CSV table of all heavy atoms in Angstrom, one decimal:
chain,number,residue,atom,x,y,z
A,1,LEU,N,0.8,-1.2,0.0
A,1,LEU,CA,0.0,0.0,0.0
A,1,LEU,C,0.9,1.3,0.0
A,1,LEU,O,0.6,2.2,-0.7
A,1,LEU,CB,-0.9,0.0,1.2
A,1,LEU,CG,-2.1,-1.0,1.3
A,1,LEU,CD1,-2.8,-1.0,2.6
A,1,LEU,CD2,-3.1,-0.9,0.1
A,2,ARG,N,2.0,1.2,0.8
A,2,ARG,CA,2.9,2.4,0.9
A,2,ARG,C,3.5,2.7,-0.4
A,2,ARG,O,3.6,3.8,-0.9
A,2,ARG,CB,3.9,2.1,1.9
A,2,ARG,CG,4.7,3.4,2.3
A,2,ARG,CD,5.7,3.2,3.5
A,2,ARG,NE,5.0,2.8,4.7
A,2,ARG,CZ,5.0,1.7,5.3
A,2,ARG,NH1,5.7,0.7,4.8
A,2,ARG,NH2,4.3,1.5,6.3
A,3,SER,N,4.1,1.6,-1.1
A,3,SER,CA,4.9,1.9,-2.3
A,3,SER,C,3.9,2.2,-3.5
A,3,SER,O,4.1,3.1,-4.3
A,3,SER,CB,5.8,0.7,-2.6
A,3,SER,OG,5.0,-0.5,-2.7
A,4,LYS,N,2.8,1.5,-3.6
A,4,LYS,CA,1.9,1.7,-4.6
A,4,LYS,C,1.1,3.0,-4.6
A,4,LYS,O,0.8,3.6,-5.6
A,4,LYS,CB,0.9,0.5,-4.7
A,4,LYS,CG,0.4,0.1,-6.1
A,4,LYS,CD,-0.4,-1.1,-6.1
A,4,LYS,CE,-1.2,-1.1,-7.5
A,4,LYS,NZ,-2.2,-2.2,-7.5
A,5,GLY,N,0.8,3.3,-3.3
A,5,GLY,CA,0.0,4.6,-3.1
A,5,GLY,C,0.9,5.8,-2.9
A,5,GLY,O,0.5,6.9,-2.7
A,6,PHE,N,2.2,5.5,-3.0
A,6,PHE,CA,3.3,6.6,-2.7
A,6,PHE,C,3.0,7.3,-1.4
A,6,PHE,O,2.8,8.6,-1.4
A,6,PHE,CB,3.5,7.5,-3.9
A,6,PHE,CG,4.7,8.3,-3.8
A,6,PHE,CD1,6.0,7.5,-4.0
A,6,PHE,CD2,4.8,9.6,-3.5
A,6,PHE,CE1,7.2,8.2,-3.9
A,6,PHE,CE2,6.1,10.3,-3.4
A,6,PHE,CZ,7.3,9.5,-3.6
A,7,GLU,N,2.9,6.6,-0.3
A,7,GLU,CA,2.5,7.1,1.0
A,7,GLU,C,3.7,7.6,1.7
A,7,GLU,O,4.2,7.0,2.7
A,7,GLU,CB,1.8,6.1,1.8
A,7,GLU,CG,0.5,5.6,1.0
A,7,GLU,CD,-0.6,6.7,0.9
A,7,GLU,OE1,-0.4,7.8,1.5
A,7,GLU,OE2,-1.6,6.5,0.3
A,8,PHE,N,4.1,8.9,1.4
A,8,PHE,CA,5.2,9.6,2.1
A,8,PHE,C,4.6,11.0,2.4
A,8,PHE,O,4.0,11.6,1.4
A,8,PHE,CB,6.5,9.6,1.3
A,8,PHE,CG,7.0,8.2,1.1
A,8,PHE,CD1,6.6,7.5,-0.1
A,8,PHE,CD2,7.8,7.6,2.0
A,8,PHE,CE1,7.1,6.2,-0.3
A,8,PHE,CE2,8.3,6.3,1.8
A,8,PHE,CZ,7.9,5.6,0.7
A,9,GLY,N,4.9,11.5,3.6
A,9,GLY,CA,4.3,12.9,3.9
A,9,GLY,C,4.7,14.0,3.1
A,9,GLY,O,5.9,14.1,2.7
A,10,THR,N,3.8,14.8,2.6
A,10,THR,CA,4.0,15.9,1.7
A,10,THR,C,5.0,16.9,2.4
A,10,THR,O,5.8,17.6,1.8
A,10,THR,CB,2.7,16.7,1.3
A,10,THR,OG1,1.9,15.7,0.7
A,10,THR,CG2,3.0,17.8,0.3
A,11,THR,N,4.7,17.2,3.7
A,11,THR,CA,5.4,18.1,4.5
A,11,THR,C,6.8,17.5,5.0
A,11,THR,O,7.8,18.2,5.0
A,11,THR,CB,4.6,18.6,5.7
A,11,THR,OG1,3.4,19.3,5.1
A,11,THR,CG2,5.3,19.6,6.5
A,12,THR,N,6.7,16.3,5.6
A,12,THR,CA,7.9,15.8,6.2
A,12,THR,C,8.7,14.8,5.5
A,12,THR,O,9.9,14.6,5.8
A,12,THR,CB,7.4,15.1,7.5
A,12,THR,OG1,6.5,14.0,7.1
A,12,THR,CG2,6.6,16.0,8.4
A,13,GLY,N,8.0,14.2,4.4
A,13,GLY,CA,8.7,13.1,3.6
A,13,GLY,C,8.7,11.8,4.4
A,13,GLY,O,9.2,10.8,4.0
A,14,ARG,N,8.1,11.8,5.7
A,14,ARG,CA,8.1,10.6,6.4
A,14,ARG,C,7.2,9.5,5.8
A,14,ARG,O,6.2,9.8,5.3
A,14,ARG,CB,7.5,10.9,7.8
A,14,ARG,CG,8.4,11.6,8.8
A,14,ARG,CD,7.8,11.8,10.2
A,14,ARG,NE,6.7,12.7,10.2
A,14,ARG,CZ,6.1,13.2,11.3
A,14,ARG,NH1,6.7,13.0,12.4
A,14,ARG,NH2,5.1,14.0,11.3
A,15,PRO,N,7.7,8.2,5.8
A,15,PRO,CA,6.8,7.1,5.3
A,15,PRO,C,5.5,7.1,6.2
A,15,PRO,O,5.5,7.1,7.4
A,15,PRO,CB,7.6,5.9,5.5
A,15,PRO,CG,8.9,6.3,6.2
A,15,PRO,CD,9.0,7.7,6.4
A,16,ARG,N,4.4,7.1,5.5
A,16,ARG,CA,3.1,6.9,6.3
A,16,ARG,C,2.8,5.5,6.7
A,16,ARG,O,3.3,4.6,6.0
A,16,ARG,CB,1.9,7.4,5.4
A,16,ARG,CG,2.0,8.9,5.0
A,16,ARG,CD,0.9,9.4,4.1
A,16,ARG,NE,1.1,10.7,3.7
A,16,ARG,CZ,0.9,11.2,2.5
A,16,ARG,NH1,0.4,10.4,1.5
A,16,ARG,NH2,1.1,12.4,2.1
A,17,ARG,N,2.2,5.5,7.9
A,17,ARG,CA,1.8,4.1,8.4
A,17,ARG,C,0.6,3.7,7.6
A,17,ARG,O,-0.3,4.6,7.2
A,17,ARG,CB,1.5,4.2,9.8
A,17,ARG,CG,2.6,4.6,10.7
A,17,ARG,CD,2.3,5.2,12.0
A,17,ARG,NE,1.6,4.3,12.9
A,17,ARG,CZ,1.0,4.6,14.0
A,17,ARG,NH1,0.9,5.8,14.4
A,17,ARG,NH2,0.4,3.6,14.7
A,18,THR,N,0.4,2.5,7.1
A,18,THR,CA,-0.7,2.1,6.3
A,18,THR,C,-1.4,0.9,6.9
A,18,THR,O,-0.9,0.2,7.6
A,18,THR,CB,-0.1,1.6,4.9
A,18,THR,OG1,0.9,0.6,5.1
A,18,THR,CG2,0.5,2.7,4.1
A,19,GLY,N,-2.7,0.9,6.5
A,19,GLY,CA,-3.6,-0.3,6.9
A,19,GLY,C,-4.8,-0.3,6.1
A,19,GLY,O,-5.1,0.5,5.2
A,20,TRP,N,-5.7,-1.3,6.3
A,20,TRP,CA,-6.8,-1.5,5.6
A,20,TRP,C,-7.9,-0.5,5.9
A,20,TRP,O,-7.8,0.2,7.0
A,20,TRP,CB,-7.4,-2.9,5.8
A,20,TRP,CG,-6.5,-4.1,5.3
A,20,TRP,CD1,-5.9,-5.1,6.1
A,20,TRP,CD2,-5.9,-4.3,4.0
A,20,TRP,NE1,-5.2,-5.9,5.4
A,20,TRP,CE2,-5.1,-5.5,4.1
A,20,TRP,CE3,-6.1,-3.6,2.7
A,20,TRP,CZ2,-4.5,-5.9,2.9
A,20,TRP,CZ3,-5.4,-4.1,1.6
A,20,TRP,CH2,-4.6,-5.2,1.7
A,21,TYR,N,-8.9,-0.4,5.1
A,21,TYR,CA,-10.0,0.5,5.4
A,21,TYR,C,-10.7,0.2,6.7
A,21,TYR,O,-11.0,-1.0,7.0
A,21,TYR,CB,-11.0,0.4,4.2
A,21,TYR,CG,-12.1,1.4,4.2
A,21,TYR,CD1,-11.9,2.7,3.7
A,21,TYR,CD2,-13.4,1.2,4.9
A,21,TYR,CE1,-13.0,3.7,3.7
A,21,TYR,CE2,-14.4,2.2,4.9
A,21,TYR,CZ,-14.2,3.4,4.3
A,21,TYR,OH,-15.2,4.3,4.2
A,22,ASP,N,-11.0,1.3,7.5
A,22,ASP,CA,-11.6,1.1,8.7
A,22,ASP,C,-13.1,1.8,8.7
A,22,ASP,O,-13.1,3.1,8.7
A,22,ASP,CB,-10.8,1.8,9.8
A,22,ASP,CG,-11.2,1.5,11.3
A,22,ASP,OD1,-12.5,1.4,11.4
A,22,ASP,OD2,-10.4,1.4,12.1
A,23,ALA,N,-14.0,1.0,8.6
A,23,ALA,CA,-15.4,1.5,8.5
A,23,ALA,C,-15.9,2.2,9.7
A,23,ALA,O,-16.7,3.2,9.5
A,23,ALA,CB,-16.4,0.4,8.1
A,24,LEU,N,-15.4,1.9,10.9
A,24,LEU,CA,-15.8,2.6,12.1
A,24,LEU,C,-15.4,4.0,12.1
A,24,LEU,O,-16.1,4.9,12.6
A,24,LEU,CB,-15.3,1.9,13.4
A,24,LEU,CG,-16.0,0.6,13.7
A,24,LEU,CD1,-15.6,-0.6,12.8
A,24,LEU,CD2,-15.6,0.2,15.2
A,25,ILE,N,-14.1,4.2,11.7
A,25,ILE,CA,-13.6,5.6,11.6
A,25,ILE,C,-14.4,6.5,10.7
A,25,ILE,O,-14.7,7.6,11.0
A,25,ILE,CB,-12.1,5.5,11.2
A,25,ILE,CG1,-11.3,5.2,12.5
A,25,ILE,CG2,-11.6,6.9,10.7
A,25,ILE,CD1,-9.9,4.9,12.2
A,26,THR,N,-14.7,5.9,9.5
A,26,THR,CA,-15.5,6.8,8.6
A,26,THR,C,-16.8,7.0,9.1
A,26,THR,O,-17.4,8.2,8.9
A,26,THR,CB,-15.6,6.0,7.2
A,26,THR,OG1,-14.3,5.7,6.7
A,26,THR,CG2,-16.3,6.9,6.1
A,27,ARG,N,-17.5,6.1,9.7
A,27,ARG,CA,-18.8,6.3,10.3
A,27,ARG,C,-18.8,7.3,11.4
A,27,ARG,O,-19.6,8.2,11.6
A,27,ARG,CB,-19.3,4.9,10.9
A,27,ARG,CG,-20.8,4.8,11.0
A,27,ARG,CD,-21.4,3.5,11.0
A,27,ARG,NE,-20.8,2.6,11.9
A,27,ARG,CZ,-20.2,1.5,11.6
A,27,ARG,NH1,-20.1,1.1,10.3
A,27,ARG,NH2,-19.7,0.7,12.5
A,28,TYR,N,-17.7,7.3,12.2
A,28,TYR,CA,-17.5,8.2,13.3
A,28,TYR,C,-17.3,9.6,12.7
A,28,TYR,O,-17.9,10.6,13.2
A,28,TYR,CB,-16.2,7.8,14.1
A,28,TYR,CG,-15.8,8.8,15.1
A,28,TYR,CD1,-16.4,8.8,16.3
A,28,TYR,CD2,-14.7,9.7,14.9
A,28,TYR,CE1,-16.0,9.7,17.4
A,28,TYR,CE2,-14.3,10.5,15.9
A,28,TYR,CZ,-14.9,10.6,17.1
A,28,TYR,OH,-14.5,11.4,18.1
A,29,ALA,N,-16.5,9.8,11.6
A,29,ALA,CA,-16.3,11.0,11.0
A,29,ALA,C,-17.6,11.6,10.4
A,29,ALA,O,-17.8,12.8,10.4
A,29,ALA,CB,-15.2,10.9,9.9
A,30,THR,N,-18.4,10.7,9.8
A,30,THR,CA,-19.7,11.2,9.3
A,30,THR,C,-20.6,11.7,10.2
A,30,THR,O,-21.1,12.8,10.1
A,30,THR,CB,-20.3,9.9,8.6
A,30,THR,OG1,-19.5,9.4,7.5
A,30,THR,CG2,-21.7,10.3,8.1
A,31,ARG,N,-20.5,11.2,11.5
A,31,ARG,CA,-21.4,11.6,12.6
A,31,ARG,C,-20.9,13.0,13.2
A,31,ARG,O,-21.6,13.9,13.3
A,31,ARG,CB,-21.4,10.6,13.7
A,31,ARG,CG,-22.3,10.9,14.8
A,31,ARG,CD,-22.4,9.8,15.8
A,31,ARG,NE,-21.3,9.6,16.7
A,31,ARG,CZ,-20.5,8.6,16.8
A,31,ARG,NH1,-20.6,7.6,16.0
A,31,ARG,NH2,-19.6,8.5,17.7
A,32,ILE,N,-19.6,13.0,13.4
A,32,ILE,CA,-19.0,14.2,14.1
A,32,ILE,C,-19.1,15.5,13.2
A,32,ILE,O,-19.3,16.5,13.7
A,32,ILE,CB,-17.4,13.9,14.5
A,32,ILE,CG1,-17.4,12.8,15.5
A,32,ILE,CG2,-16.7,15.2,14.9
A,32,ILE,CD1,-17.9,13.2,16.8
A,33,ASN,N,-18.9,15.2,11.9
A,33,ASN,CA,-18.8,16.3,11.0
A,33,ASN,C,-20.2,16.7,10.3
A,33,ASN,O,-20.3,17.7,9.7
A,33,ASN,CB,-17.8,16.1,9.8
A,33,ASN,CG,-16.4,16.0,10.3
A,33,ASN,OD1,-15.9,17.0,10.7
A,33,ASN,ND2,-15.8,14.8,10.3
């Protein structure tokens, strides 16, 4: 996911931590926002 998605920070250049889709987080964000 990191290499294919080129997951490195725009500001810091740090490699991003990667993981599968988390439906709970999206549902939480939908509610909060």
Side-chain angles (χ1 to χ4, degrees):
L1 292 174
R2 189 176 298 111
S3 56
K4 210 170 163 195
F6 199 69
E7 298 296 352
F8 298 91
T10 305
T11 300
T12 59
R14 289 184 289 196
R16 293 181 187 137
R17 298 157 67 191
T18 53
W20 299 120
Y21 187 86
D22 189 327
L24 284 77
I25 282 174
T26 309
R27 200 155 54 242
Y28 175 79
T30 297
R31 184 172 81 244
I32 295 291
N33 293 292

